[in-house]
Amino acid sequence: MPDPRGFLEVPRAALPERDPAERVKDYGEIYKVLPEPELRRQAQRCMGCGVPFCNNGCPLGNLIPDWNDLVRLGRWEEAIEQLHATNNFPEFTGLVCPAPCESACVLDINDDAVTIKQIEYSIIDRAFQEGWVKPRPPQERTGKRVAVIGSGPAGMAAADELNQVGHEVVVFERDEAVGGLIRFGVPDAKLEKWIIDRRVRVLEAEGIEFRCRVDVGRDISVEELREQFDAIVIAIGSRVPRPLGVPGSDLNGVHFAMDYLYQRNRYVAKLQGGPEGPEPDVVITAKDKHVVVIGGGDTGMDCISNANREQCKSAILLDVYPEVPESGRYPDTPWPMQPRRSVTTYALEEGGERRFGRQVTDIIGDQHGNVVEVAGREVRGTSSRSLEPIPGSEFTMPADLVLIAVGFTHPEHEGLISELGVELDGRGNVKAPMYETSVDGVFVAGDARIGASLIVNAIAEGRRCARMVDRKLRAAQPAASAA
Ligand SMILES: Cc1cc2nc3c(=O)[nH]c(=O)nc-3n(C[C@H](O)[C@H](O)[C@H](O)COP(=O)(O)OP(=O)(O)OC[C@H]3O[C@@H](n4cnc5c(N)ncnc54)[C@H](O)[C@@H]3O)c2cc1C
């Protein structure tokens, strides 16, 4: 029985962070975990609500009050069982999820939410340390083979679920290592990559085969795949960058954020002896440069984090939207909905500046075609449709490197998607209301289906998609054979 008065006695403890002035000199994780006695006190703040809104707020339906209470009681091994029951990779979400569960915590109505994310991370961190996360290969194999294309969190979760129910799973990944955007977008400062490798080793020991450096649709044809597998899961993410659409976007020194982040993540991987990726055509570096990042989301913030670590001359992030109040609670996002939030400022604590309500109108170059300035104006309004320019607010600022981080439009259509001939929805994502596409036996999960989103949604997508694949395969041939 949870402690109904715990939150009255224990205040929420902040997530311990390394000193920004120190951590900016390296690529290591910026957060730390609280000591065990404090974690158990924090778990005591959970009221064990009869209707746990946190559980509903989490796209995975995490059994939050259950494992909070187990942590309160110090029953960590049972807590990881509960956590793994709904979340394949709590070490990813525990570090980088924006935690919609905390926004839906009943305490968030008039107090500070339970520190759910930190408790989640501590459970899985401890479970790995204690050796409780062991490979558990399935007892039986079905004889069915599934190809998963893409090894981001959606592909990894789908592969894990399908393998656990006995199908033979091969994951094809065109990059040199597994993880998708959590490896090549998210910096090590937020999620060190050995954390992904550790999980991949467990999945491999359970029987999943990962084939990296295979671009499906180019290195292996869709026909070959269809011959070799009983079902295909597309989990290729939403990778086509949204263009800025202003003059000067093609100048030297103007790049899409992901091109920069891929290079920085590969640079750090090389430092750590990781697998080498392809050499870039153009090296993108922020060192000694005036950097302007356009776009105020996680991607933009991760660019600032890297630019700081490269010792840029200056780093300015231009966000077209106005500053969100601390609570983020507007009338259109009342509790328990996730409030609109200003994305994490971890990078700005280390250096750089964010300017709200700034719309870029022009990128200006010199006679050699190199970027030298960014021009814009101030705007007011809350959505992209309601932005109004403020007369007389025009500005310019020096820029040697401009990084465009204004989102992604849809998955890449050339190659795999066009070869498969799957139907697309109005936004260019793969259309599959129930995870199966318009092509028999071909399924889709993650950003490729729902558009650019969050890690927690990608994992939830992979899990649900796997259920639909399994249902179809079993309907085709219910008998299972012993492993
Ligand atoms: C810079 C950045 C920072 C982010 N930070 C956060 C954060 O802090 N918190 C959060 O919750 N979310 C964050 N996100 C969003 C999150 O990373 C994504 O929503 C999530 O990774 C999507 O998972 P996915 O598996 O659908 O696709 P992806 O992670 O994009 O993975 C798709 C994989 O498919 C592979 N692939 C594509 N085509 C082929 C092919 N033809 N053959 C073989 N392989 C192929 C790709 O190489 C890639 O590995 C961030 C995103 C970015 C870009």
Side-chain angles (χ1 to χ4, degrees):
M1 171 70 190
D3 179 353
R5 297 184 58 79
F7 71 97
L8 294 172
E9 286 146 24
V10 182
R12 178 179 160 118
L15 184 60
E17 280 183 31
R18 291 167 60 213
D19 178 0
E22 280 306 312
R23 71 192 192 211
V24 74
K25 297 178 193 153
D26 63 46
Y27 293 94
E29 172 65 54
I30 63 178
Y31 298 112
K32 297 185 199 162
V33 287
L34 288 167
E36 179 177 357
E38 184 55 43
L39 280 164
R40 291 181 58 182
R41 271 162 48 83
Q42 291 300 311
Q44 194 189 336
R45 296 186 72 239
C46 177
M47 296 180 276
C49 300
V51 179
F53 286 86
C54 54
N55 158 266
N56 205 41
C58 172
L60 287 162
N62 278 347
L63 306 169
I64 295 162
D66 296 22
W67 41 259
N68 273 341
D69 201 41
L70 289 166
V71 167
R72 176 179 75 88
L73 298 167
R75 289 159 54 183
W76 294 87
E77 195 167 357
E78 288 162 83
I80 187 57
E81 290 292 325
Q82 291 288 311
L83 183 49
H84 266 155
T86 57
N87 187 350
N88 307 60
F89 315 122
E91 65 274 32
F92 306 160
T93 47
L95 281 172
V96 289
C97 186
C101 54
E102 293 191 10
S103 309
C105 172
V106 171
L107 276 181
D108 201 51
I109 297 173
N110 63 349
D111 197 339
D112 294 325
V114 174
T115 168
I116 300 170
K117 181 169 142 179
Q118 200 176 159
I119 294 170
E120 175 185 28
Y121 185 70
S122 307
I123 296 171
I124 183 64
D125 185 51
R126 172 131 185 198
F128 271 113
Q129 279 181 34
E130 299 277 357
W132 297 328
V133 185
K134 291 196 187 79
R136 296 179 191 178
Q139 300 287 303
E140 290 191 334
R141 287 287 174 190
T142 61
K144 297 285 184 182
R145 303 188 78 220
V146 184
V148 175
I149 305 165
S151 72
M156 287 177 76
D160 188 12
E161 293 293 300
L162 287 163
N163 181 58
Q164 281 302 322
V165 293
H167 305 303
E168 191 186 318
V169 184
V170 179
V171 180
F172 293 89
E173 170 52 57
R174 73 175 169 199
D175 285 329
E176 66 273 21
V178 171
L181 287 178
I182 61 172
R183 182 179 294 272
F184 293 105
V186 174
D188 281 52
K190 273 163 64 178
L191 192 151
E192 292 182 9
K193 303 306 179 282
W194 61 267
I195 293 176
I196 307 173
D197 297 335
R198 179 179 64 182
R199 180 59 74 170
V200 170
R201 282 196 296 276
V202 176
L203 297 178
E204 283 176 332
E206 288 173 338
I208 298 175
E209 186 188 343
F210 289 92
R211 289 189 203 161
C212 289
R213 301 183 203 265
V214 181
D215 190 339
V216 178
R218 292 192 178 87
D219 301 328
I220 176 171
S221 74
V222 163
E223 288 75 46
E224 284 172 81
L225 223 55
R226 298 214 69 172
E227 276 163 25
Q228 295 169 20
F229 293 91
D230 299 289
I232 295 175
V233 175
I234 304 169
I236 60 171
S238 173
R239 293 301 191 93
V240 177
R242 190 179 300 284
L244 190 60
V246 303
S249 298
D250 54 354
L251 287 167
N252 300 326
V254 181
H255 300 275
F256 285 114
M258 273 311 296
D259 294 336
Y260 175 60
L261 292 174
Y262 252 86
Q263 288 194 20
R264 294 317 299 162
N265 274 303
R266 284 189 165 132
Y267 170 82
V268 178
K270 201 169 173 180
L271 288 182
Q272 294 163 352
E276 287 213 19
E279 285 301 319
D281 296 334
V282 179
V283 174
I284 310 171
T285 173
K287 185 154 180 60
D288 298 328
K289 289 189 176 159
H290 292 294
V291 180
V292 176
V293 178
I294 304 171
D298 281 319
T299 307
M301 210 50 83
D302 294 341
C303 288
I304 297 280
S305 150
N306 276 290
N308 285 335
R309 280 165 179 73
E310 278 201 279
Q311 295 172 343
C312 59
K313 255 191 218 149
S314 67
I316 296 184
L317 184 144
L318 300 177
D319 191 337
V320 78
Y321 296 111
E323 188 160 13
V324 178
E326 179 78 7
S327 71
R329 293 266 182 230
Y330 283 105
D332 60 341
T333 56
W335 180 91
M337 291 168 74
Q338 189 169 19
R340 246 181 291 162
R341 64 192 176 106
S342 285
V343 287
T344 160
T345 54
Y346 83 98
L348 295 176
E349 289 161 12
E350 299 159 353
E353 191 192 331
R354 169 164 53 189
R355 296 187 190 160
F356 290 100
R358 302 295 201 281
Q359 187 176 48
V360 172
T361 52
D362 207 349
I363 304 176
I364 300 153
D366 62 13
Q367 69 274 29
H368 307 293
N370 298 321
V371 63
V372 288
E373 266 185 349
V374 166
R377 60 191 174 192
E378 292 182 35
V379 287
R380 57 181 152 230
T382 50
S383 80
S384 53
R385 282 180 298 278
S386 71
L387 293 176
E388 274 177 41
I390 300 175
S393 64
E394 292 75 16
F395 64 85
T396 57
M397 59 177 61
D400 312 307
L401 175 65
V402 175
L403 298 170
I404 300 171
V406 295
F408 302 87
T409 52
H410 48 63
E412 291 163 20
H413 294 161
E414 61 284 358
L416 173 70
I417 296 290
S418 61
E419 264 201 46
L420 278 167
V422 290
E423 211 180 308
L424 304 175
D425 68 16
R427 293 185 302 154
N429 298 321
V430 180
K431 188 172 175 184
M434 295 301 284
Y435 297 93
E436 187 164 11
T437 69
S438 56
V439 177
D440 188 44
V442 178
F443 295 76
V444 60
D447 283 4
R449 192 182 85 94
I450 59 174
S453 185
L454 297 172
I455 293 164
V456 67
N457 284 324
I459 299 173
E461 282 274 305
R463 292 172 66 86
R464 286 192 217 112
C465 176
R467 233 165 282 151
M468 302 312 279
V469 176
D470 181 51
R471 188 186 290 181
K472 176 127 185 174
L473 292 178
R474 283 179 196 277
Q477 191 197 59
S481 61

